């Protein structure tokens, strides 16, 4: 084979859409802390305990990290700028970096690789990977930077149609996996065991117990797919670090994808940069404590 703002309001909308479309509820910048602006938008950086810090210091500390989870708010202008700053900073360090993306599915890897290698043009690439207009201002700068610098990009997610099929099947994952074609198994994780942990408790609290239990296995499949994609890349490219750009719910408090990644790569070093909404002053909130190694506070 190769989403907490109150984040619950954003997460509930994005999660339902992500988990199979069941409903639709939802240049290089070097930003600094303490209310600096990206595209004129206020933001601030804090460490996981609430101390104001600067992005440059966080990036400097990534030289020996194996996996960096950037937990974003999708299509947020500040987040997109900071993502590019992190990738740019990591690419300038001695140890190589690969970019992993929640927003590309594993069956799009060939189209992605061909574009990065210059074997196809951008219009063909966008058609084959179903990029929409939001891509221009969100993830396109990351892909174009990777293309220019020869940085590998991992299409980290399981195909949406297969995740939906799994959810609707009601079967345990291994039994369902055995019913799939060889080509389908090749773009799905080898295993997916929904953990009974804090991530599950958060998910059920966000989604509600009845709906949450119905959707939880497919959410875990999503996490396992991304974890396995990053872990397999690290196994074959041990010198590379991986920067995973993903919805914040998947990596908050080192849960979700991080838990599943470390189950596959125990002992590795993981850091999480998590976006968090400031609904009043641009300040650290109690709910932010421990949610990430770096907290990026932004306006909605």
């Amino acid at each position: 084979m190769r989403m907490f703002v109150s984040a619950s309001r954003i997460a509930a909308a994005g999660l339902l859409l992500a988990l199979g479309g069941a409903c639709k509820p939802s240049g290089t910048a070097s930003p600094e802390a303490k209310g600096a602006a990206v595209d004129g938008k206020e933001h601030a950086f804090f460490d996981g305990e609430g101390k104001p810090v600067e992005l440059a210091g966080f990036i400097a500390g990534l030289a020996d990290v194996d996996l960096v989870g950037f937990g974003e708010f999708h299509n947020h202008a500040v987040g997109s700028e900071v993502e590019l700053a992190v990738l740019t900073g990591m690419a300038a360090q001695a140890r190589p970096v690969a970019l992993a993306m929640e927003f590309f599915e594993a069956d799009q890897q060939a189209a992605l690789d061909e574009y990065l290698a210059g074997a196809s043009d951008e219009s063909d690439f966008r058609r084959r990977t179903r990029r929409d207009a939001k891509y221009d201002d969100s993830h396109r700068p990351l892909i174009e930077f990777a293309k220019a610098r020869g940085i590998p990009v991992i299409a980290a997610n399981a195909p949406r149609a297969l995740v939906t099929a799994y959810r609707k099947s009601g079967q345990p994952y291994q039994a369902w996996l055995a019913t799939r074609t060889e080509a389908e198994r090749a773009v799905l994780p080898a295993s997916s065991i929904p953990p009974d942990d804090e991530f599950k408790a958060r998910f059920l609290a966000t989604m509600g117990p009845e709906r949450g239990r119905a959707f939880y296995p497919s959410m875990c499949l999503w996490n396992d797919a991304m974890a396995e994609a990053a872990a397999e890349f690290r196994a074959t490219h041990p010198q590379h670090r991986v920067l995973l750009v993903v919805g914040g719910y998947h990596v908050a408090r080192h849960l979700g994808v991080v838990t599943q990644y470390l189950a596959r790569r125990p002992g590795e070093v993981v850091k999480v940069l998590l976006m968090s909404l400031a609904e009043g002053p641009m300040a650290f909130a109690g709910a932010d404590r421990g949610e990430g190694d770096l907290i990026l506070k932004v306006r909605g």
Side-chain angles (χ1 to χ4, degrees):
M1 137 102 206
R2 186 290 300 98
M3 215 171 34
F4 212 131
V5 223
S6 216
S8 58
R9 294 205 308 270
I10 291 177
L15 288 174
L16 285 171
L17 186 58
L19 292 171
C23 63
K24 299 180 181 178
S26 153
T28 299
S30 296
E32 296 183 351
K34 305 171 187 175
V38 176
D39 286 345
K41 297 198 174 184
E42 186 184 8
H43 72 284
F45 294 100
F46 301 90
D47 70 14
E49 296 302 312
K51 178 184 176 182
V53 295
E54 295 189 356
L55 179 61
F58 177 76
I59 294 173
L62 299 179
D64 296 317
V65 170
D66 300 304
L67 176 72
V68 181
F70 194 118
E72 69 164 26
F73 291 147
H74 302 328
N75 306 309
H76 193 288
V78 172
S80 297
E81 291 282 352
V82 177
E83 286 165 359
L84 183 59
V86 173
L87 180 61
T88 301
M90 293 179 73
Q93 295 168 341
R95 190 175 169 194
V97 62
L99 175 65
M101 302 289 288
E102 174 189 2
F103 318 96
F104 287 91
E105 299 168 7
D107 58 351
Q108 299 171 340
Q109 187 71 59
L112 184 56
D113 289 344
E114 289 173 18
Y115 178 64
L116 294 172
S120 65
D121 61 24
E122 187 173 14
S123 61
D124 183 58
F125 161 70
R126 293 178 69 138
R127 177 187 59 79
R128 293 171 65 191
T129 61
R130 302 185 296 277
R131 299 302 98 185
D132 61 20
K134 293 178 181 178
Y135 171 73
D136 291 338
D137 296 321
S138 57
H139 300 128
R140 183 179 184 274
L142 294 173
I143 299 302
E144 293 303 311
F145 181 82
K147 185 175 188 286
R149 297 291 297 270
I151 294 171
V153 182
I154 304 163
N157 221 334
R160 182 184 299 272
L162 290 176
V163 176
T164 302
Y166 167 54
R167 175 178 60 80
K168 290 180 177 180
S169 77
Q171 293 180 285
Y173 181 69
Q174 294 303 144
W176 175 81
L177 187 65
T179 70
R180 311 317 298 180
T181 67
E182 183 177 353
E184 289 171 334
R185 290 195 297 272
V187 293
L188 290 163
S191 64
S192 182
I193 302 174
D196 188 7
D197 62 359
E198 185 181 352
F199 182 84
K200 179 179 180 180
R202 287 182 170 211
F203 187 79
L204 296 182
T206 297
M207 300 290 287
E210 183 176 349
R211 176 170 280 179
R213 289 189 182 92
F215 278 84
Y216 186 59
S218 51
M219 166 55 95
C220 293
L221 175 55
W222 217 271
N223 288 341
D224 278 309
M226 292 184 279
E228 191 163 290
E232 289 188 349
F233 183 89
R234 286 272 302 125
T236 56
H237 302 78
Q239 293 303 311
H240 279 71
R241 299 157 296 161
V242 175
L243 171 61
L244 171 65
V245 177
V246 61
Y249 203 95
H250 291 281
V251 293
R253 210 170 192 83
H254 285 232
L255 298 169
V257 175
V258 177
T259 299
Q260 301 310 95
Y261 176 83
L262 291 174
R264 292 163 169 84
R265 303 284 297 178
E268 293 208 344
V269 181
V270 178
K271 297 289 185 183
V272 170
L273 191 167
L274 191 73
M275 296 181 68
S276 173
L277 284 188
E279 297 183 315
M282 186 60 64
F284 191 83
D288 295 321
R289 192 170 305 279
E291 292 296 301
D293 301 287
L294 184 69
I295 303 297
L296 168 57
K297 298 293 290 191
V298 297
R299 301 293 180 196

